[in-house]
């Protein structure tokens, strides 16, 4: 069965309820297009990097500096 947005009378919903409905719809689209699951090795690498970042041992630069930097020449 196909349901059109014209078949649903959302005008009876409060603005807050319509926002929640829109969020639920958006979440369902995102869930349907999820990236493939990560491998155990990828998860371990993310955990390793997060640990280093938490300890202040992960090299980093402010986003403003990165954004302002010119791309490297090829």
């Amino acid at each position: 069965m196909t349901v059109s947005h014209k078949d649903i009378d959302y005008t009876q919903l409060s603005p807050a309820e319509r926002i929640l409905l829109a969020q639920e719809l958006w979440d369902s689209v995102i869930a349907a297009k999820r990236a493939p699951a990560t491998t155990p090795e990828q998860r371990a690498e993310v955990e390793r990097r997060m640990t280093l970042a938490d300890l202040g041992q992960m090299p980093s630069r402010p986003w403003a500096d990165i954004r302002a930097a010119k791309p490297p020449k090829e």
Side-chain angles (χ1 to χ4, degrees):
M1 176 179 159
T2 302
V3 178
S4 166
H5 70 280
K6 295 176 185 176
D7 297 332
I8 301 170
D9 184 12
Y10 56 86
T11 61
Q12 300 301 314
L13 300 174
S14 70
E17 290 170 324
R18 284 183 270 168
I19 290 170
L20 288 172
L21 175 60
Q23 183 65 51
E24 287 178 23
L25 288 170
W26 185 247
D27 289 346
S28 72
V29 170
I30 298 296
K33 296 194 180 236
R34 293 218 186 268
T38 56
T39 65
E41 294 81 9
Q42 290 168 324
R43 285 192 297 277
E45 179 64 13
V46 169
E47 289 295 327
R48 184 187 75 78
R49 291 182 186 197
M50 288 175 58
T51 299
L52 288 175
D54 290 344
L55 295 171
Q57 298 175 358
M58 177 63 80
S60 62
R61 293 172 42 202
W63 172 242
D65 293 352
I66 294 169
R67 190 168 185 191
K70 294 181 181 178
K73 292 184 180 181
E74 294 182 12

